[in-house]
């Protein structure tokens, strides 16, 4: 049984994303497009479009164009969309890097994506320099969004974005079509390590138009708070690009900090806030919320991990606002399901309905039979083209009929309302961020005192998912749980830390050597 969206199909124009977003921007040239939350500095749509045009010209001057990749390693700030869309307008693909990554993690993505330029901020320069110095990285220039720091001793030129934007060079004439690669965010998908997710201009435009059908309350005059990162697809599409598309104002925050978050909502009179469940917990429960006048908030939208419906209702009551939930995945650009703005009555424990142009199947992962409960398969114009340089991962995720196998288990009602009820993939979500077990297992095995290891997601006392490592000690090795945790913590980004350790005699494995995560989960859930 294929479940189609209850909405009529929409047409997706065959153009590049910057042309789609900026071709008639002159109508809103003087409206505010982006506000840097901490400083209050504003950028109008006219300035944004000009910056996009000049950054594209500067990349053209460097000989970069179709087939090239640049990397963007920065927290949310007003120049993020200048770099992102300037890159796309020049025909290059932009690989967005997690701002919390260590030099090794940054280097992995730079190498894997073949990025030739790295755009970052001066506060990240130490990590950026260490990453570009690693073997196999082909970056030849660092561009700093906030300052020029070209020091004689640095191996690569380090130039200021502001200087690039003054170029008087002609914009190179590249014809960008819907099928060209636009964004290359990284995701581990259902299994293994992080992979480049090839999202085309058409994918990103499609998801904006699909989301627009549901987001009837987003328009010019709306203020969107962008505290979730633009490097992750949720922030990229739902905050940055949706805001630009709707001619709304996007207020950026570089990281989540509750007092600053509440101050910004209150001072800028934010209408719409996008969150992942941990921020919903703070909004529902933290006493500090009472100290701020945030009755301006009209809608809080939650995604990236399951929202507890009771908590969602408590937040809606406290803020006197509508609460909505959506479901997405990097490989889906990202949204495939959400609750529409005009249906606040929909069950908050659901993920809403399929977006226009989306078809779904629910397939039993064991038998391959379609039924009322099963792995969610999604087809539509927002489905990624492929994983970068990884035909095996592509073919095990994206089938020949164009359905993407999400690794999430869902059910659906007769009205077409979907619920996520389980997960059959390896992926762990910590505060909405991806934690790929395969990466942690590989890292643990580099420790001489560890003979074998497996990592799964378990629930902490608050019901939050956290990574737990099962570790087999090398014979005679002296190793404590804390030793294991600090070994991992010093080598990876904070959200990927192992938070619980259990020593066991043997990791359960199948005949072919695959870790039997099911057995570890069963062991975890067994009564003590
Ligand atoms: C249960 O997290 C994302 C995308 C999130 C998103 C974006 C826009 C949600 C709603 C929206 O409108 O992408 P990834 O690739 O980091 O993680 C994808 C995985 C899913 O496969 C699923 O396991 O994150 C989990 N997930 C959810 N799980 C995402 N949303 C939900 C949800 N409930 N609402």
């Amino acid at each position: 049984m294929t479940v189609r969206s209850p909405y009529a199909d929409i047409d997706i124009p065959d153009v590049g994303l910057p042309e789609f977003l900026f071709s008639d921007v002159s109508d809103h040239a003087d409206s505010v497009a982006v506000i840097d939350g901490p400083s209050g500095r504003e950028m109008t749509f006219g300035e944004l479009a000009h910056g996009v045009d000049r950054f594209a010209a500067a990349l053209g001057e460097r000989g970069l164009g179709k087939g090239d990749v640049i990397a963007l390693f920065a927290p949310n700030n007003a120049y993020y969309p200048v770099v992102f869309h300037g890159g796309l307008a020049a025909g290059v693909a932009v690989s967005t890097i997690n701002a919390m990554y260590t030099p090794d993690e940054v280097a992995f993505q730079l190498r894997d994506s073949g990025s030739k330029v790295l755009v970052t901020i001066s506060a990240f320069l130490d990590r950026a320099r260490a990453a570009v110095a690693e073997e196999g990285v082909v970056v030849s220039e660092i561009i700093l969004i906030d300052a020029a720091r070209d020091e004689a001793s640095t191996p690569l030129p380090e130039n200021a974005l502001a200087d690039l934007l003054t170029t008087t060079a002609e914009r190179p004439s590249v014809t960008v079509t819907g099928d060209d690669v636009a964004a290359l965010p990284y995701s581990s998908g259902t299994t293994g390590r992080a992979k480049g997710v090839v999202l085309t201009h058409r994918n990103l435009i499609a998801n904006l138009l699909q989301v627009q059908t549901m987001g009837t309350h987003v328009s010019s005059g709306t203020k969107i708070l962008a505290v979730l990162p633009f490097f992750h697809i949720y922030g990229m599409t739902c905050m940055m690009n949706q805001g630009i598309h709707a001619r709304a104002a996007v207020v950026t925050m570089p990281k989540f900090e509750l007092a600053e978050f509440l101050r910004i909502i209150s001072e800028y009179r934010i209408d719409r806030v996008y969150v992942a469940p941990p921020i919903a917990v703070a909004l529902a429960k933290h006493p500090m919320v009472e100290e701020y006048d945030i009755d301006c908030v009209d809608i809080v939208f939650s995604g990236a991990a399951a929202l507890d419906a009771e908590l969602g209702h408590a937040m809606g009551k406290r803020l006197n606002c509508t609460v909505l939930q959506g479901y997405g995945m990097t490989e889906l650009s990202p949204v495939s399901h959400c609750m529409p703005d005009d249906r606040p009555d929909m069950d908050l424990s659901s993920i809403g309905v399929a977006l226009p142009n989306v078809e779904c199947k629910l397939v039993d992962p064991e038998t391959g039979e379609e039924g009322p409960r099963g792995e969610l398969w999604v087809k539509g114009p927002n489905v990624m083209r492929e994983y970068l340089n990884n035909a095996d991962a592509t073919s095990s995720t994206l089938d020949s009929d164009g359905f993407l196998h999400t690794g999430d288990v869902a059910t659906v009602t007769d009205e077409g309302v979907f619920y996520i009820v389980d997960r059959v993939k390896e992926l762990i979500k910590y505060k909405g961020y991806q934690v790929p077990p395969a990466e942690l297992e590989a890292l643990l095995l580099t420790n001489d005192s560890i003979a074998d290891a497996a990592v799964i997601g378990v629930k902490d006392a608050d019901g939050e998912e956290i990574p737990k490592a099962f570790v087999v000690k090398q014979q005679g090795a002296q190793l404590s749980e804390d030793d294991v945790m600090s070994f991992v913590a010093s080598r990876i980004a904070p959200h990927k830390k192992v938070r619980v350790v259990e020593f066991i005699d043997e990791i359960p494995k199948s005949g072919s050597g695959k870790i039997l995560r099911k057995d570890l989960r069963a062991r975890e859930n067994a009564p003590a």
Side-chain angles (χ1 to χ4, degrees):
M1 177 187 62
T2 300
V3 182
R4 295 188 60 90
S5 168
Y7 294 88
D9 277 357
I10 48 181
D11 288 330
I12 317 298
D14 181 23
V15 292
L17 179 60
E19 184 183 341
F20 175 74
L21 290 177
F22 298 111
S23 61
D24 62 355
V25 79
S26 52
D27 298 349
H28 287 84
D30 297 326
S31 312
V32 174
V34 199
I35 304 174
D36 177 67
S39 68
R41 265 197 306 274
E42 296 180 346
M43 182 186 283
T44 64
F45 278 97
E47 289 163 342
L48 172 56
H50 179 73
V52 167
D53 175 71
R54 289 300 81 204
F55 188 60
L59 292 176
E61 274 183 300
R62 285 156 170 74
L64 296 171
K66 276 199 190 188
D68 292 320
V69 180
I70 66 168
L72 179 48
F73 175 46
N76 288 2
N77 68 83
Y79 283 91
Y80 203 104
V82 170
V83 173
F84 183 84
H85 291 294
L88 267 53
V92 310
V94 179
S95 193
T96 54
I97 301 183
N98 190 315
M100 293 174 291
Y101 272 4
T102 62
D104 283 349
E105 291 168 320
V106 174
F108 172 84
Q109 189 168 332
L110 292 174
R111 203 184 294 121
D112 192 73
S113 62
S115 292
K116 294 186 172 160
V117 166
L118 174 58
V119 184
T120 189
I121 62 168
S122 45
F124 289 8
L125 197 50
D126 289 346
R127 284 185 288 157
R129 283 177 180 163
V132 299
E134 287 197 27
E135 214 175 294
V137 173
V138 296
V139 168
S140 59
E141 179 181 359
I142 292 178
I143 296 169
L144 287 164
I145 289 175
D146 54 341
R149 290 259 307 263
D150 204 353
E151 293 158 22
S153 61
T154 61
L156 293 184
E158 293 172 1
N159 295 311
L161 178 64
D163 293 338
L164 270 73
L165 297 182
T166 60
T167 180
T168 53
E170 286 274 317
R171 202 44 196 267
S173 64
V174 281
T175 316
V176 179
T177 72
D179 291 330
D180 288 318
V181 185
L184 273 175
Y186 272 61
S187 163
S188 69
T190 56
T191 181
R193 303 183 61 119
K195 297 172 275 291
V197 178
V198 177
L199 299 178
T200 63
H201 287 257
R202 178 179 163 80
N203 288 151
L204 296 180
I205 292 171
N207 212 230
L208 283 178
L209 290 169
Q210 291 168 308
V211 163
Q212 183 183 32
T213 307
M214 321 298 272
T216 47
H217 293 192
V218 189
S219 61
S220 65
T222 304
K223 278 198 184 135
I224 295 176
L225 180 56
V227 64
L228 301 184
F230 293 151
F231 62 73
H232 184 251
I233 193 73
Y234 186 9
M236 188 193 294
T237 291
C238 298
M239 284 145 254
M240 179 170 78
N241 291 345
Q242 181 182 212
I244 295 171
H245 181 223
R247 306 306 187 218
V250 178
V251 181
T252 63
M253 281 186 72
K255 62 173 195 281
F256 177 73
E257 202 264 303
L258 185 60
E260 176 73 346
F261 174 77
L262 295 168
R263 175 190 77 82
I264 286 176
I265 294 177
S266 169
E267 281 186 20
Y268 295 99
R269 309 310 294 159
I270 299 289
D271 306 280
R272 199 174 176 103
V273 185
Y274 289 87
V275 302
I279 300 182
V281 173
L283 285 172
K285 295 189 170 168
H286 202 288
M288 195 193 283
V289 174
E290 303 296 340
E291 295 167 26
Y292 293 82
D293 167 16
I294 57 168
D295 64 1
C296 44
V297 175
D298 177 30
I299 290 179
V300 177
F301 188 101
S302 177
L307 176 71
D308 180 76
E310 210 174 303
L311 183 101
H313 287 302
M315 172 173 71
K317 213 166 150 202
R318 193 178 196 197
L319 271 57
N320 189 25
C321 71
T322 296
V323 179
L324 304 171
Q325 179 166 202
Y327 163 88
M329 186 170 163
T330 309
E331 291 81 347
L332 299 172
S333 305
V335 197
S336 62
H337 294 74
C338 77
M339 299 168 48
D341 284 2
D342 55 8
R343 288 292 308 280
D345 55 304
M346 214 175 254
D347 184 354
L348 197 51
S349 55
S350 78
I351 55 164
V353 295
L355 269 52
N357 304 40
V358 166
E359 288 174 57
C360 303
K361 282 183 186 182
L362 300 178
V363 182
D364 186 317
E366 309 275 311
T367 63
E369 303 261 321
E370 289 182 41
R373 175 192 164 110
E375 183 185 8
L376 174 63
W377 292 10
V378 174
K379 181 175 178 174
N382 53 314
V383 173
M384 70 163 181
R385 183 163 86 195
E386 60 188 355
Y387 286 119
L388 186 68
N389 303 326
N390 199 331
D392 287 348
T394 303
S395 64
S396 59
T397 306
L398 198 54
D399 67 30
S400 53
D401 294 329
F403 279 92
L404 184 118
H405 303 190
T406 64
D408 295 302
V409 179
T411 61
V412 61
T413 67
D414 293 342
E415 287 75 45
V417 177
F418 286 75
Y419 291 78
I420 300 294
V421 293
D422 199 2
R423 206 188 279 155
V424 284
K425 59 182 161 188
E426 288 171 14
L427 181 70
I428 300 167
K429 281 253 146 151
Y430 177 71
K431 292 190 191 290
Y433 289 109
Q434 291 199 2
V435 182
E439 192 180 318
L440 294 181
E441 287 154 4
L443 175 58
L444 287 164
L445 290 177
T446 65
N447 185 314
D448 289 341
S449 300
I450 295 178
D452 205 356
V455 177
I456 63 167
V458 298
K459 294 273 159 76
D460 72 2
D462 299 325
E464 270 233 42
E465 191 175 15
I466 53 171
K468 168 169 180 174
F470 292 88
V471 172
V472 181
K473 277 190 227 183
Q474 206 70 263
Q475 237 181 0
Q478 293 293 319
L479 187 73
S480 70
E481 293 168 11
D482 282 345
D483 292 340
V484 174
M485 286 194 269
S486 50
F487 175 79
V488 173
S490 62
R491 288 167 174 82
I492 40 117
H495 64 282
K496 293 188 203 161
K497 281 183 194 172
V498 164
R499 288 166 200 272
V500 198
V501 175
E502 183 179 334
F503 292 111
I504 55 173
D505 295 337
E506 195 185 352
I507 302 293
K509 294 207 176 137
S510 70
S512 61
K514 267 182 83 167
I515 295 171
L516 292 171
R517 292 172 205 283
K518 263 198 333 249
D519 292 6
L520 289 171
R521 272 186 218 113
R523 175 191 169 101
E524 188 62 26
N525 295 329

